[in-house]
Amino acid sequence: MRDDDMEKFFRMLSGISDYYGRQIGKDAMRLYWEGLKQYDLQAVEKAFWTHTQNPDSGQFMPKIADVAKYLKGRTTDQASLAWSKVDKAIRVIGTYQDVCFDDAIIHRVIEDMGGWIAIGQKDEQEWPFVQNQFENRYRGYVMRDEVPEYQSKLTGIANSHNAQNGFRLNPPILVGDEAKAKLILKNGSNKSMLQFKTAGDAVKFLQ
């Protein structure tokens, strides 16, 4: 959440307190803010609402840890879905080809971990650790509600060689939702994409 979300957050928290027949002071509201401000406001609102529907604990006023538990579950699911796309792309496409996912955070996390080629060099024994590192990094961006700068495509072995030798670059394979992947390709910061006339030139697609 941003600082200008604080007033909305306090109103929401006051409403939740009224719902549970509780009074909440300014100091306690500040504690809730500090404990939850790293999350998106709408996600926090949804987590509070989800708690009220819980048949086991919904009769009690949610603590910070209760709300964070729901939010962590949400980000864990997102990170797991993102990893499944990466894992499938590695196994089906490999790192010889360039790829463009339908999720900017996937691009950034893979860049943070050394790049597409480096990921593909990991063996099966290392793979669970790679997955864990990827999902933790991914969740970090999601929890901060951050869309980071990212490369428009992840460079594979072929185009890495082609770029070094002045050869024409091959278009990337799109992974995931085709329309979203094309937007990632169009809006990313990789200057080498100027080699292509439009994002539509990336005609290969992995569903």
Side-chain angles (χ1 to χ4, degrees):
M1 293 181 281
R2 303 184 301 270
D3 288 343
D4 55 6
D5 290 325
M6 186 181 294
E7 184 177 350
K8 293 180 182 178
F9 175 80
F10 285 164
R11 286 201 304 267
M12 175 191 65
L13 189 57
S14 178
I16 289 289
S17 300
D18 288 343
Y19 173 78
Y20 283 99
R22 300 277 299 275
Q23 290 186 341
I24 185 168
K26 291 183 179 179
D27 289 343
M29 294 181 88
R30 283 279 183 179
L31 285 175
Y32 273 91
W33 170 258
E34 291 298 325
L36 298 171
K37 67 181 181 180
Q38 70 266 36
Y39 302 109
D40 176 69
L41 178 62
Q42 290 184 336
V44 172
E45 289 176 334
K46 185 175 180 180
F48 272 114
W49 173 250
T50 301
H51 177 85
T52 66
Q53 306 302 303
N54 189 315
D56 297 320
S57 59
Q59 68 270 34
F60 303 111
M61 173 76 178
K63 296 181 173 63
I64 294 171
D66 296 319
V67 180
K69 178 178 66 176
Y70 292 110
L71 293 166
K72 182 178 179 180
R74 180 182 67 89
T75 59
T76 298
D77 291 343
Q78 288 179 279
S80 178
L81 177 61
W83 172 253
S84 69
K85 294 178 183 179
V86 174
D87 182 64
K88 181 179 179 180
I90 288 287
R91 297 179 188 280
V92 175
I93 302 171
T95 55
Y96 188 78
Q97 302 287 344
D98 289 10
V99 292
C100 177
F101 289 87
D102 59 357
D103 183 341
I105 297 179
I106 291 178
H107 283 215
R108 181 52 184 266
V109 170
I110 290 177
E111 292 162 26
D112 291 346
M113 293 174 64
W116 185 236
I117 297 173
I119 291 289
Q121 292 173 341
K122 305 297 183 180
D123 59 32
E124 286 295 331
Q125 287 186 327
E126 296 175 288
W127 209 231
F129 301 100
V130 175
Q131 177 181 356
N132 186 59
Q133 183 183 7
F134 175 92
E135 292 185 356
N136 285 338
R137 288 175 179 269
Y138 188 98
R139 285 180 52 229
Y141 283 113
V142 174
M143 286 190 291
R144 292 191 296 272
D145 192 30
E146 180 180 354
V147 179
E149 291 186 6
Y150 64 95
Q151 296 295 310
S152 60
K153 65 184 180 67
L154 299 173
T155 303
I157 296 170
N159 273 352
S160 178
H161 176 269
N162 290 343
Q164 292 175 10
N165 291 278
F167 299 145
R168 185 180 183 277
L169 301 182
N170 300 314
I173 297 174
L174 306 182
V175 182
D177 182 277
E178 182 175 10
K180 291 180 180 179
K182 286 183 177 180
L183 286 176
I184 298 298
L185 184 61
K186 178 181 178 181
N187 296 326
S189 62
N190 193 336
K191 301 303 182 181
S192 68
M193 287 312 300
L194 295 175
Q195 298 279 346
F196 309 113
K197 294 180 180 179
T198 69
D201 289 341
V203 294
K204 296 182 180 179
F205 176 65
L206 175 67
Q207 181 65 47

